[in-house]
Amino acid sequence: LGSSFDADMGPDEMDDKQITRLVQMLRSTDNLFKSPDGGCLSPLGEYNLNLGIQKVVEPEIIATARDKPGAYDGHPFIVEAAVSLGGKDAKEGITVVRFANRIPLLFEGGADVATRVANSKIKWSSYKIDHKRDKIGVFVSIVSTKVPFKGTGKEYIGDDITEIQQSVKRALQGCCQQLRAH
């Protein structure tokens, strides 16, 4: 941090270069600290997610998956997902249903991480699914101690947090792999 740095210095005594260097050093220590685990979270569970979708949507086939617990900015999160094909009142294309801490998110669906991943990050044709003609239901539940909502109304979860975006993608790919096997 420089020769003028003293371990007993207060933040107000540090110059801009020292603060920048300190932040860089702390960010490079990711492997020294364990990420928080998901033990404190209360996800819905794959069984209950599957049961609820079976009861409401009545799809022809359904697959569920849970990604391993992750963390962003020190907050643990768990992503659970389900992909269904067919069902009553299902329309052609991809229909995304989103949940945050087990509460449905009803507004601003187009900007949400789940919608963006389902529409642009998943190669549906790799799983023998036609995303234009098939009736695809995508269900994503994100549980966290701090859900990174965007906007003032807690209407959607932004796709700017890479860890959550990758976790949603892995969970949806896990569902698609199960469907491809059928």
Side-chain angles (χ1 to χ4, degrees), residues 100-178:
N101 284 341
R102 301 164 70 167
I103 306 295
L105 301 174
L106 304 175
F107 304 105
E108 298 288 337
D112 193 84
V113 64
T115 305
R116 295 220 173 153
V117 168
N119 288 327
S120 63
K121 304 280 186 199
I122 303 293
K123 294 181 181 171
W124 295 99
S125 58
S126 300
Y127 304 103
K128 300 177 182 166
I129 299 172
D130 184 351
H131 70 281
K132 301 253 192 245
R133 289 197 305 237
D134 289 342
K135 299 174 180 179
I136 306 167
V138 174
F139 305 83
V140 176
S141 173
I142 299 172
V143 180
S144 179
T145 55
K146 181 183 177 192
V147 177
F149 291 111
K150 298 294 177 193
T152 56
K154 295 185 176 182
E155 296 162 341
Y156 69 99
I157 300 169
D159 66 343
D160 57 337
I161 297 176
T162 308
E163 295 91 339
I164 292 179
Q165 187 182 60
Q166 290 172 344
S167 186
V168 169
K169 183 178 179 182
R170 283 191 302 266
L172 288 177
Q173 286 173 329
C175 294
C176 290
Q177 288 170 355
Q178 293 173 41

Coordinates of all heavy atoms in Angstrom, one line a residue, residues 100-178:
A100 N -39.1 -14.8 -6.1 CA -38.0 -14.4 -5.2 C -38.4 -14.6 -3.8 O -39.4 -14.1 -3.3 CB -37.7 -12.9 -5.5
N101 N -37.6 -15.4 -3.1 CA -37.9 -15.8 -1.7 C -39.3 -16.4 -1.6 O -40.1 -16.0 -0.8 CB -37.7 -14.7 -0.7 CG -36.2 -14.4 -0.5 OD1 -35.4 -15.3 -0.7 ND2 -35.9 -13.3 0.0
R102 N -39.7 -17.2 -2.6 CA -40.9 -17.9 -2.6 C -42.2 -17.1 -2.9 O -43.3 -17.5 -2.8 CB -41.2 -18.7 -1.3 CG -40.0 -19.7 -1.1 CD -40.0 -20.2 0.3 NE -41.1 -21.1 0.6 CZ -41.1 -21.9 1.6 NH1 -40.1 -21.9 2.5 NH2 -42.1 -22.7 1.9
I103 N -41.9 -15.8 -3.3 CA -43.0 -14.9 -3.7 C -43.0 -14.7 -5.2 O -41.9 -14.4 -5.7 CB -42.8 -13.5 -3.0 CG1 -42.7 -13.7 -1.5 CG2 -44.0 -12.6 -3.3 CD1 -43.9 -14.2 -0.8
P104 N -44.1 -14.8 -5.9 CA -44.1 -14.6 -7.3 C -43.8 -13.2 -7.7 O -44.3 -12.2 -7.0 CB -45.5 -15.0 -7.8 CG -46.3 -15.2 -6.6 CD -45.4 -15.2 -5.4
L105 N -43.1 -13.0 -8.7 CA -42.8 -11.7 -9.3 C -43.7 -11.5 -10.5 O -43.6 -12.2 -11.5 CB -41.3 -11.5 -9.7 CG -40.3 -11.7 -8.5 CD1 -38.9 -11.7 -9.1 CD2 -40.5 -10.7 -7.5
L106 N -44.6 -10.5 -10.5 CA -45.6 -10.3 -11.5 C -45.3 -9.3 -12.5 O -45.9 -9.3 -13.6 CB -46.9 -10.0 -10.8 CG -47.4 -11.1 -9.8 CD1 -48.6 -10.6 -9.1 CD2 -47.6 -12.4 -10.4
F107 N -44.4 -8.3 -12.2 CA -44.2 -7.2 -13.1 C -42.8 -7.2 -13.7 O -41.9 -7.8 -13.1 CB -44.5 -5.9 -12.4 CG -45.9 -5.9 -11.8 CD1 -46.1 -6.0 -10.5 CD2 -47.0 -5.7 -12.7 CE1 -47.4 -6.0 -10.0 CE2 -48.3 -5.7 -12.2 CZ -48.5 -5.9 -10.8
E108 N -42.6 -6.4 -14.7 CA -41.3 -6.2 -15.3 C -40.6 -7.5 -15.7 O -39.4 -7.6 -15.5 CB -40.4 -5.3 -14.4 CG -40.9 -4.0 -14.1 CD -40.8 -3.0 -15.3 OE1 -39.9 -3.3 -16.2 OE2 -41.5 -2.1 -15.4
G109 N -41.3 -8.4 -16.2 CA -40.7 -9.7 -16.5 C -39.6 -9.7 -17.6 O -38.7 -10.5 -17.5
G110 N -39.7 -8.8 -18.5 CA -38.7 -8.8 -19.6 C -37.3 -8.4 -19.2 O -36.4 -8.8 -19.9
A111 N -37.2 -7.7 -18.1 CA -35.8 -7.3 -17.7 C -35.2 -8.2 -16.7 O -34.1 -8.0 -16.3 CB -35.9 -5.9 -17.1
D112 N -36.0 -9.2 -16.3 CA -35.5 -10.1 -15.2 C -34.4 -11.1 -15.7 O -34.4 -11.5 -16.9 CB -36.7 -10.9 -14.7 CG -36.4 -11.6 -13.4 OD1 -36.5 -11.0 -12.4 OD2 -36.0 -12.8 -13.4
V113 N -33.6 -11.5 -14.8 CA -32.5 -12.4 -15.1 C -33.0 -13.7 -15.6 O -32.4 -14.3 -16.6 CB -31.5 -12.6 -13.8 CG1 -32.3 -13.3 -12.7 CG2 -30.3 -13.4 -14.2
A114 N -34.1 -14.2 -15.1 CA -34.6 -15.5 -15.5 C -35.1 -15.4 -16.9 O -34.9 -16.4 -17.7 CB -35.8 -16.0 -14.6
T115 N -35.8 -14.4 -17.3 CA -36.3 -14.2 -18.6 C -35.2 -14.0 -19.6 O -35.2 -14.6 -20.7 CB -37.2 -13.0 -18.7 OG1 -38.3 -13.1 -17.7 CG2 -37.9 -12.8 -20.1
R116 N -34.2 -13.2 -19.3 CA -33.1 -13.0 -20.2 C -32.3 -14.3 -20.4 O -31.8 -14.5 -21.5 CB -32.2 -11.9 -19.7 CG -32.9 -10.6 -19.6 CD -32.1 -9.4 -20.1 NE -32.9 -8.2 -20.2 CZ -32.4 -7.0 -20.0 NH1 -31.2 -6.9 -19.8 NH2 -33.2 -6.0 -20.2
V117 N -32.0 -15.0 -19.4 CA -31.3 -16.3 -19.5 C -32.1 -17.3 -20.4 O -31.6 -17.9 -21.3 CB -30.9 -16.9 -18.2 CG1 -30.4 -18.3 -18.3 CG2 -29.9 -16.0 -17.5
A118 N -33.4 -17.4 -20.1 CA -34.2 -18.4 -20.8 C -34.3 -18.0 -22.3 O -34.3 -18.9 -23.2 CB -35.6 -18.4 -20.2
N119 N -34.4 -16.7 -22.6 CA -34.6 -16.3 -24.0 C -33.3 -16.2 -24.8 O -33.3 -16.3 -26.0 CB -35.3 -15.0 -24.1 CG -36.8 -15.1 -23.7 OD1 -37.4 -16.1 -24.0 ND2 -37.3 -14.1 -23.1
S120 N -32.2 -15.9 -24.1 CA -30.9 -15.7 -24.9 C -29.7 -16.5 -24.5 O -28.8 -16.6 -25.3 CB -30.6 -14.2 -24.8 OG -30.2 -13.9 -23.5
K121 N -29.7 -17.2 -23.4 CA -28.5 -17.9 -23.0 C -28.7 -19.4 -23.1 O -27.7 -20.1 -23.0 CB -28.2 -17.6 -21.5 CG -27.9 -16.1 -21.2 CD -26.6 -15.7 -21.6 CE -26.4 -14.2 -21.2 NZ -25.3 -13.6 -21.9
I122 N -29.9 -19.9 -23.3 CA -30.1 -21.3 -23.4 C -30.3 -21.7 -24.9 O -31.1 -21.1 -25.5 CB -31.4 -21.8 -22.6 CG1 -31.2 -21.4 -21.1 CG2 -31.6 -23.3 -22.8 CD1 -30.2 -22.1 -20.3
K123 N -29.6 -22.7 -25.3 CA -29.7 -23.1 -26.7 C -30.7 -24.3 -26.7 O -30.3 -25.4 -26.6 CB -28.4 -23.5 -27.3 CG -27.4 -22.4 -27.4 CD -26.1 -22.9 -28.0 CE -25.1 -21.7 -28.1 NZ -23.8 -22.1 -28.5
W124 N -32.0 -23.9 -26.9 CA -33.1 -24.9 -26.8 C -32.9 -26.0 -27.8 O -33.3 -27.2 -27.5 CB -34.4 -24.2 -26.9 CG -34.7 -23.2 -25.7 CD1 -34.5 -21.9 -25.7 CD2 -35.1 -23.6 -24.4 NE1 -34.8 -21.4 -24.5 CE2 -35.2 -22.4 -23.7 CE3 -35.4 -24.8 -23.8 CZ2 -35.5 -22.3 -22.4 CZ3 -35.8 -24.7 -22.5 CH2 -35.9 -23.5 -21.8
S125 N -32.4 -25.7 -29.0 CA -32.3 -26.7 -30.0 C -31.3 -27.8 -29.6 O -31.5 -29.0 -30.1 CB -31.9 -26.1 -31.3 OG -30.7 -25.4 -31.2
S126 N -30.4 -27.5 -28.8 CA -29.4 -28.5 -28.3 C -30.1 -29.6 -27.5 O -29.6 -30.7 -27.3 CB -28.3 -27.9 -27.4 OG -27.6 -26.9 -28.2
Y127 N -31.3 -29.3 -26.9 CA -32.0 -30.2 -26.1 C -33.3 -30.7 -26.8 O -34.2 -31.3 -26.2 CB -32.5 -29.5 -24.8 CG -31.3 -28.9 -24.1 CD1 -31.0 -27.6 -24.1 CD2 -30.4 -29.8 -23.4 CE1 -29.9 -27.1 -23.4 CE2 -29.3 -29.3 -22.7 CZ -29.1 -27.9 -22.7 OH -28.0 -27.4 -22.1
K128 N -33.3 -30.6 -28.2 CA -34.4 -31.0 -29.0 C -35.7 -30.4 -28.6 O -36.8 -31.0 -28.6 CB -34.5 -32.6 -29.0 CG -33.3 -33.3 -29.5 CD -33.4 -34.8 -29.4 CE -32.1 -35.4 -29.8 NZ -31.9 -36.8 -29.5
I129 N -35.7 -29.1 -28.3 CA -36.8 -28.3 -27.9 C -36.9 -27.1 -28.9 O -35.9 -26.4 -29.1 CB -36.8 -27.8 -26.5 CG1 -36.7 -29.0 -25.5 CG2 -38.0 -26.9 -26.2 CD1 -36.5 -28.6 -24.1
D130 N -38.1 -27.0 -29.5 CA -38.3 -25.8 -30.5 C -38.9 -24.7 -29.7 O -40.1 -24.7 -29.3 CB -39.2 -26.3 -31.6 CG -39.4 -25.2 -32.6 OD1 -38.9 -24.0 -32.4 OD2 -40.0 -25.4 -33.7
H131 N -38.1 -23.7 -29.3 CA -38.5 -22.6 -28.5 C -39.5 -21.7 -29.1 O -40.1 -20.9 -28.5 CB -37.4 -21.8 -27.9 CG -36.6 -21.0 -28.9 ND1 -35.7 -21.5 -29.8 CD2 -36.7 -19.7 -29.2 CE1 -35.3 -20.5 -30.6 NE2 -35.8 -19.4 -30.2
K132 N -39.8 -21.8 -30.4 CA -40.8 -21.0 -31.1 C -42.1 -21.7 -31.1 O -43.2 -21.1 -31.0 CB -40.3 -20.7 -32.5 CG -39.0 -20.0 -32.6 CD -39.2 -18.6 -33.0 CE -37.9 -17.9 -33.3 NZ -37.5 -16.9 -32.5
R133 N -42.2 -23.0 -31.3 CA -43.4 -23.8 -31.5 C -43.9 -24.6 -30.3 O -45.0 -24.7 -30.0 CB -43.3 -24.7 -32.7 CG -43.3 -23.9 -34.0 CD -43.7 -24.8 -35.2 NE -42.8 -26.0 -35.2 CZ -42.1 -26.3 -36.3 NH1 -42.1 -25.5 -37.3 NH2 -41.3 -27.4 -36.2
D134 N -42.9 -25.1 -29.5 CA -43.3 -25.9 -28.3 C -43.8 -25.0 -27.2 O -43.5 -23.8 -27.2 CB -42.1 -26.6 -27.8 CG -41.6 -27.8 -28.7 OD1 -42.4 -28.2 -29.5 OD2 -40.5 -28.2 -28.6
K135 N -44.7 -25.5 -26.4 CA -45.2 -24.8 -25.2 C -44.3 -25.0 -24.0 O -44.4 -26.1 -23.4 CB -46.6 -25.3 -25.0 CG -47.6 -25.0 -26.1 CD -48.9 -25.6 -25.9 CE -49.8 -25.4 -27.1 NZ -51.2 -26.0 -26.9
I136 N -43.4 -24.1 -23.8 CA -42.4 -24.2 -22.8 C -42.7 -23.4 -21.6 O -42.9 -22.2 -21.7 CB -41.0 -23.9 -23.3 CG1 -40.7 -24.6 -24.6 CG2 -39.9 -24.1 -22.3 CD1 -39.5 -24.1 -25.3
G137 N -42.8 -24.0 -20.4 CA -42.9 -23.2 -19.2 C -41.6 -23.2 -18.4 O -41.0 -24.3 -18.2
V138 N -41.1 -22.0 -18.1 CA -39.8 -21.9 -17.4 C -40.1 -21.3 -16.0 O -40.7 -20.2 -15.9 CB -38.8 -21.0 -18.1 CG1 -37.6 -20.8 -17.3 CG2 -38.4 -21.7 -19.5
F139 N -39.8 -22.0 -15.0 CA -40.0 -21.5 -13.6 C -38.7 -21.4 -12.9 O -38.0 -22.4 -12.8 CB -40.9 -22.6 -12.9 CG -42.2 -22.9 -13.6 CD1 -42.2 -23.8 -14.6 CD2 -43.4 -22.2 -13.3 CE1 -43.4 -24.1 -15.3 CE2 -44.5 -22.4 -14.0 CZ -44.6 -23.4 -15.0
V140 N -38.4 -20.2 -12.3 CA -37.2 -20.0 -11.7 C -37.5 -19.3 -10.3 O -38.2 -18.3 -10.2 CB -36.3 -19.0 -12.5 CG1 -35.0 -18.7 -11.7 CG2 -35.9 -19.7 -13.8
S141 N -36.9 -19.9 -9.3 CA -37.0 -19.4 -7.9 C -35.7 -19.1 -7.4 O -34.8 -20.0 -7.3 CB -37.7 -20.5 -7.0 OG -37.7 -20.1 -5.7
I142 N -35.5 -17.8 -6.9 CA -34.2 -17.4 -6.3 C -34.5 -17.1 -4.9 O -35.3 -16.3 -4.6 CB -33.6 -16.2 -7.1 CG1 -33.4 -16.6 -8.6 CG2 -32.4 -15.7 -6.4 CD1 -33.0 -15.4 -9.4
V143 N -33.7 -17.7 -4.0 CA -33.9 -17.5 -2.6 C -32.5 -17.0 -2.1 O -31.5 -17.5 -2.3 CB -34.2 -18.8 -1.8 CG1 -34.4 -18.6 -0.3 CG2 -35.5 -19.4 -2.4
S144 N -32.6 -15.9 -1.3 CA -31.4 -15.3 -0.8 C -31.7 -14.4 0.4 O -32.8 -14.0 0.7 CB -30.8 -14.4 -1.9 OG -29.6 -13.7 -1.4
T145 N -30.6 -14.2 1.2 CA -30.8 -13.3 2.3 C -30.9 -11.8 1.9 O -31.4 -11.0 2.6 CB -29.5 -13.4 3.3 OG1 -28.3 -13.1 2.5 CG2 -29.5 -14.7 3.9
K146 N -30.4 -11.5 0.7 CA -30.6 -10.2 0.1 C -30.8 -10.4 -1.4 O -29.9 -10.6 -2.2 CB -29.4 -9.3 0.3 CG -29.5 -8.0 -0.3 CD -28.2 -7.1 -0.1 CE -28.4 -5.8 -0.8 NZ -27.2 -5.1 -0.9
V147 N -32.1 -10.3 -1.9 CA -32.4 -10.5 -3.3 C -32.0 -9.2 -4.0 O -32.5 -8.1 -3.6 CB -33.9 -10.8 -3.5 CG1 -34.2 -10.9 -4.9 CG2 -34.2 -12.2 -2.8
P148 N -31.2 -9.2 -5.0 CA -30.8 -8.0 -5.7 C -31.8 -7.4 -6.7 O -31.7 -7.5 -7.9 CB -29.5 -8.5 -6.5 CG -29.8 -9.9 -6.8 CD -30.6 -10.4 -5.6
F149 N -32.9 -6.9 -6.1 CA -34.0 -6.4 -6.9 C -33.5 -5.1 -7.6 O -32.6 -4.4 -7.1 CB -35.2 -6.0 -6.1 CG -35.9 -7.1 -5.5 CD1 -35.9 -7.4 -4.1 CD2 -36.7 -8.0 -6.3 CE1 -36.6 -8.5 -3.6 CE2 -37.4 -9.0 -5.8 CZ -37.3 -9.3 -4.5
K150 N -34.1 -4.8 -8.8 CA -33.8 -3.6 -9.5 C -35.1 -2.8 -9.5 O -36.2 -3.3 -9.5 CB -33.4 -3.9 -10.9 CG -32.1 -4.6 -11.0 CD -30.9 -3.8 -10.5 CE -29.7 -4.6 -10.5 NZ -28.6 -4.0 -9.8
G151 N -35.0 -1.5 -9.5 CA -36.2 -0.7 -9.4 C -36.7 -0.5 -8.0 O -36.3 -1.2 -7.1
T152 N -37.5 0.5 -7.8 CA -38.0 0.8 -6.5 C -39.1 -0.2 -6.0 O -39.3 -0.3 -4.8 CB -38.5 2.2 -6.4 OG1 -39.5 2.4 -7.4 CG2 -37.4 3.2 -6.7
G153 N -39.8 -0.8 -6.9 CA -40.9 -1.6 -6.5 C -40.6 -3.1 -6.3 O -41.5 -3.9 -6.2
K154 N -39.3 -3.5 -6.3 CA -38.9 -4.9 -6.2 C -39.7 -5.7 -7.2 O -40.2 -6.8 -6.8 CB -39.2 -5.4 -4.7 CG -38.3 -4.7 -3.7 CD -38.5 -5.3 -2.3 CE -37.6 -4.6 -1.3 NZ -37.7 -5.2 0.0
E155 N -39.7 -5.3 -8.4 CA -40.4 -6.0 -9.5 C -39.7 -7.0 -10.2 O -40.2 -7.9 -10.8 CB -41.0 -4.9 -10.4 CG -42.0 -4.0 -9.7 CD -42.2 -2.7 -10.5 OE1 -41.4 -2.3 -11.3 OE2 -43.2 -2.0 -10.2
Y156 N -38.3 -6.9 -10.3 CA -37.6 -7.8 -11.0 C -36.1 -7.9 -10.5 O -35.7 -7.0 -9.8 CB -37.5 -7.5 -12.5 CG -36.8 -6.3 -12.9 CD1 -35.5 -6.3 -13.4 CD2 -37.3 -5.0 -12.8 CE1 -34.8 -5.2 -13.7 CE2 -36.7 -3.9 -13.1 CZ -35.4 -4.0 -13.6 OH -34.7 -2.8 -14.0
I157 N -35.4 -9.0 -10.8 CA -34.1 -9.2 -10.4 C -33.2 -9.0 -11.6 O -33.4 -9.6 -12.7 CB -33.9 -10.6 -9.9 CG1 -34.8 -10.9 -8.7 CG2 -32.4 -10.9 -9.5 CD1 -34.9 -12.3 -8.2
G158 N -32.3 -8.0 -11.6 CA -31.5 -7.6 -12.7 C -30.5 -8.7 -13.1 O -30.2 -9.6 -12.3
D159 N -30.1 -8.7 -14.3 CA -29.2 -9.7 -14.8 C -27.7 -9.3 -14.8 O -26.8 -9.9 -15.4 CB -29.5 -10.2 -16.2 CG -29.3 -9.1 -17.3 OD1 -29.2 -7.9 -16.9 OD2 -29.3 -9.4 -18.5
D160 N -27.4 -8.3 -13.9 CA -26.1 -7.7 -13.9 C -25.2 -8.5 -12.8 O -24.0 -8.2 -12.8 CB -26.1 -6.2 -13.5 CG -26.9 -5.9 -12.3 OD1 -27.7 -6.8 -11.8 OD2 -26.6 -4.9 -11.7
I161 N -25.7 -9.3 -12.0 CA -24.9 -10.1 -11.1 C -24.6 -11.5 -11.7 O -25.5 -12.3 -11.9 CB -25.7 -10.3 -9.7 CG1 -25.9 -8.9 -9.1 CG2 -24.9 -11.2 -8.8 CD1 -26.6 -8.8 -7.9
T162 N -23.4 -11.6 -12.1 CA -22.9 -12.7 -12.9 C -23.1 -14.0 -12.2 O -23.5 -15.0 -12.8 CB -21.4 -12.6 -13.2 OG1 -21.2 -11.3 -13.8 CG2 -20.9 -13.6 -14.1
E163 N -22.9 -14.1 -10.9 CA -23.1 -15.3 -10.1 C -24.5 -15.9 -10.2 O -24.7 -17.1 -10.4 CB -22.7 -15.1 -8.6 CG -21.2 -14.8 -8.4 CD -20.9 -13.3 -8.4 OE1 -21.8 -12.5 -8.9 OE2 -19.9 -12.9 -7.8
I164 N -25.5 -15.0 -10.1 CA -26.9 -15.4 -10.2 C -27.2 -15.8 -11.6 O -27.9 -16.8 -11.8 CB -27.8 -14.3 -9.6 CG1 -27.6 -14.2 -8.1 CG2 -29.3 -14.6 -9.9 CD1 -28.4 -13.1 -7.4
Q165 N -26.8 -15.0 -12.6 CA -27.0 -15.3 -14.0 C -26.5 -16.7 -14.3 O -27.2 -17.5 -14.9 CB -26.4 -14.3 -14.8 CG -26.8 -14.4 -16.3 CD -26.1 -13.3 -17.1 OE1 -24.8 -13.3 -17.2 NE2 -26.9 -12.5 -17.8
Q166 N -25.3 -17.0 -13.9 CA -24.7 -18.3 -14.2 C -25.4 -19.5 -13.5 O -25.6 -20.5 -14.0 CB -23.2 -18.3 -13.8 CG -22.4 -17.5 -14.7 CD -20.9 -17.3 -14.3 OE1 -20.6 -17.6 -13.1 NE2 -20.1 -16.9 -15.1
S167 N -25.9 -19.2 -12.3 CA -26.6 -20.2 -11.5 C -27.9 -20.5 -12.1 O -28.4 -21.7 -12.2 CB -26.8 -19.7 -10.1 OG -27.3 -20.7 -9.3
V168 N -28.6 -19.5 -12.6 CA -29.9 -19.7 -13.3 C -29.7 -20.5 -14.6 O -30.4 -21.4 -14.9 CB -30.6 -18.3 -13.6 CG1 -31.8 -18.5 -14.6 CG2 -31.0 -17.6 -12.4
K169 N -28.6 -20.2 -15.3 CA -28.3 -20.9 -16.5 C -28.0 -22.4 -16.2 O -28.5 -23.3 -16.9 CB -27.1 -20.2 -17.2 CG -26.8 -20.9 -18.6 CD -25.6 -20.2 -19.2 CE -25.3 -20.8 -20.6 NZ -24.2 -20.2 -21.2
R170 N -27.2 -22.6 -15.2 CA -26.9 -24.0 -14.9 C -28.1 -24.8 -14.5 O -28.3 -26.0 -14.8 CB -25.8 -24.1 -13.8 CG -24.4 -23.8 -14.2 CD -23.4 -24.1 -13.1 NE -23.6 -23.4 -11.9 CZ -23.1 -22.2 -11.6 NH1 -22.2 -21.7 -12.4 NH2 -23.3 -21.7 -10.4
A171 N -29.0 -24.2 -13.7 CA -30.2 -24.9 -13.2 C -31.1 -25.2 -14.4 O -31.7 -26.3 -14.5 CB -31.0 -24.0 -12.2
L172 N -31.3 -24.2 -15.3 CA -32.1 -24.4 -16.5 C -31.5 -25.5 -17.4 O -32.2 -26.3 -18.0 CB -32.4 -23.1 -17.3 CG -33.3 -22.1 -16.6 CD1 -33.4 -20.8 -17.4 CD2 -34.7 -22.7 -16.4
Q173 N -30.2 -25.5 -17.6 CA -29.6 -26.5 -18.4 C -29.7 -27.9 -17.8 O -29.9 -28.9 -18.5 CB -28.1 -26.2 -18.5 CG -27.8 -25.0 -19.5 CD -26.4 -24.6 -19.5 OE1 -25.6 -24.7 -18.6 NE2 -25.9 -24.1 -20.7
G174 N -29.7 -28.0 -16.4 CA -30.0 -29.2 -15.7 C -31.4 -29.8 -16.1 O -31.5 -31.0 -16.3
C175 N -32.3 -28.9 -16.1 CA -33.7 -29.3 -16.4 C -33.8 -29.7 -17.9 O -34.4 -30.8 -18.2 CB -34.7 -28.1 -16.2 SG -34.9 -27.6 -14.5
C176 N -33.2 -29.0 -18.8 CA -33.2 -29.3 -20.2 C -32.5 -30.7 -20.5 O -33.0 -31.4 -21.3 CB -32.6 -28.2 -21.0 SG -33.5 -26.7 -21.0
Q177 N -31.5 -31.0 -19.7 CA -30.8 -32.3 -19.9 C -31.7 -33.4 -19.5 O -31.7 -34.5 -20.2 CB -29.5 -32.3 -19.1 CG -28.4 -31.4 -19.7 CD -27.2 -31.3 -18.8 OE1 -27.2 -31.7 -17.7 NE2 -26.2 -30.6 -19.3
Q178 N -32.5 -33.2 -18.5 CA -33.4 -34.2 -18.0 C -34.5 -34.4 -19.1 O -34.9 -35.6 -19.4 CB -34.1 -33.9 -16.7 CG -33.2 -33.8 -15.5 CD -33.9 -33.3 -14.3 OE1 -35.0 -33.6 -14.1 NE2 -33.2 -32.4 -13.6

